[in-house]
Amino acid sequence: MRLTWIKWSALPAAVLLAGSVAMAQDQPAPNSQPAPQAQSGSSATAATPATTATPAAKPKPTVAQRKENQQDRIAQGVKSGQLTAGETANLETKEAAINGETKADRAGNGGKLTAAEKKQINGQQNQLSKQIYKDKHNANTAHYGNNKVGQRRENQQDRIAQGIKSGQLTAGETAKLENQQKGINQQVAADRKANGGTLTASEKKQVNKEQNAASKNIYHKKHNAKTQPQAQPKP
């Protein structure tokens, strides 16, 4: 009877010991981190966050690209009426001066520009860019009107704007054409002021004659050998 009690009393201790060992195997080791769980449909390595790639810096526009951008902005201003003929002539005169300086610098350096020359040209283009914005957003606008004189004037401006955009007109040619339009516009304004806002038959005839001459001039300059070089994207 005594032996039987010893046998059964020892059993719970053995069972308890075995249970403790099994529990110890399921517990993480001290100071250890639990293993990451793999997400459904992906491998365990996919749980590791990927390194975010740093976006490449945007290349600065070249001198030619900058020049083309300025011309596009002027052309848009001419077409929309935000730039008057006088403002356009002034902007194109400045653009022509920058182009002339660039050409001279290239000729003096075997077709290339030095770092200092590029910096100077970029500074000049910055000033011109501010002037374009100022002229396009001031109170001066080109009012074309719904009459024949206004429609003719708008047509001429559209042709000039297209020539700037396409590169058929250089900055110097555009400045001359816009100065011609400026002269016609000033004459029309003076005639209207002297006649209570209207034009006489003879004044209309005179303005039409001057626009005919301007039209021929636009055509000639758009179809001569001079063109505005367009910037080509680097491969």
Side-chain angles (χ1 to χ4, degrees):
M1 188 68 178
R2 186 168 178 274
L3 292 173
T4 303
W5 180 86
I6 294 173
K7 179 180 177 182
W8 288 106
S9 64
L11 181 60
V15 173
L16 181 60
L17 180 60
S20 299
V21 172
M23 290 177 63
Q25 290 175 345
D26 288 340
Q27 297 297 324
N31 300 325
S32 65
Q33 296 295 327
Q37 295 181 352
Q39 296 180 356
S40 175
S42 62
S43 62
T45 55
T48 304
T51 304
T52 304
T54 304
K58 233 181 177 182
K60 291 183 178 180
T62 64
V63 171
Q65 288 170 338
R66 189 81 191 276
K67 179 172 66 175
E68 183 178 1
N69 179 56
Q70 306 282 53
Q71 290 299 111
D72 287 346
R73 290 173 62 201
I74 293 173
Q76 188 276 330
V78 173
K79 194 168 182 65
S80 67
Q82 289 175 286
L83 293 175
T84 65
E87 289 172 336
T88 306
N90 181 52
L91 291 172
E92 290 293 358
T93 298
K94 290 181 178 180
E95 184 69 48
I98 296 173
N99 294 347
E101 181 182 336
T102 303
K103 186 177 180 180
D105 289 341
R106 288 188 186 279
N109 296 308
K112 296 182 179 180
L113 294 172
T114 65
E117 288 167 344
K118 287 180 181 178
K119 185 177 180 181
Q120 182 176 353
I121 291 169
N122 190 57
Q124 291 171 339
Q125 287 286 17
N126 286 342
Q127 291 299 317
L128 181 61
S129 181
K130 292 177 183 178
Q131 188 65 49
I132 293 172
Y133 182 89
K134 181 181 176 182
D135 288 347
K136 288 177 72 174
H137 294 84
N138 61 14
N140 299 328
T141 55
H143 299 289
Y144 299 121
N146 296 320
N147 50 65
K148 288 185 178 181
V149 172
Q151 290 171 349
R152 186 78 189 276
R153 175 181 163 195
E154 181 178 5
N155 179 58
Q156 304 285 53
Q157 290 299 106
D158 286 347
R159 291 172 62 201
I160 293 173
Q162 187 276 331
I164 299 171
K165 185 88 174 172
S166 66
Q168 290 174 286
L169 293 175
T170 66
E173 289 174 332
T174 305
K176 290 177 181 178
L177 291 173
E178 289 292 357
N179 274 322
Q180 189 174 19
Q181 285 298 310
K182 178 184 175 182
I184 296 173
N185 296 343
Q186 288 175 338
Q187 179 184 331
V188 171
D191 289 341
R192 287 188 186 280
K193 186 177 181 180
N195 297 306
T198 61
L199 294 173
T200 65
S202 61
E203 288 169 343
K204 288 179 182 178
K205 185 178 180 179
Q206 177 64 25
V207 170
N208 191 56
K209 182 180 178 180
E210 292 174 1
Q211 286 289 22
N212 285 342
S215 182
K216 291 178 182 178
N217 202 13
I218 292 170
Y219 181 88
H220 174 72
K221 291 187 185 306
K222 288 178 70 175
H223 294 84
N224 61 12
K226 297 178 182 179
T227 56
Q228 182 79 27
Q230 301 295 298
Q232 298 296 327
K234 291 185 178 181

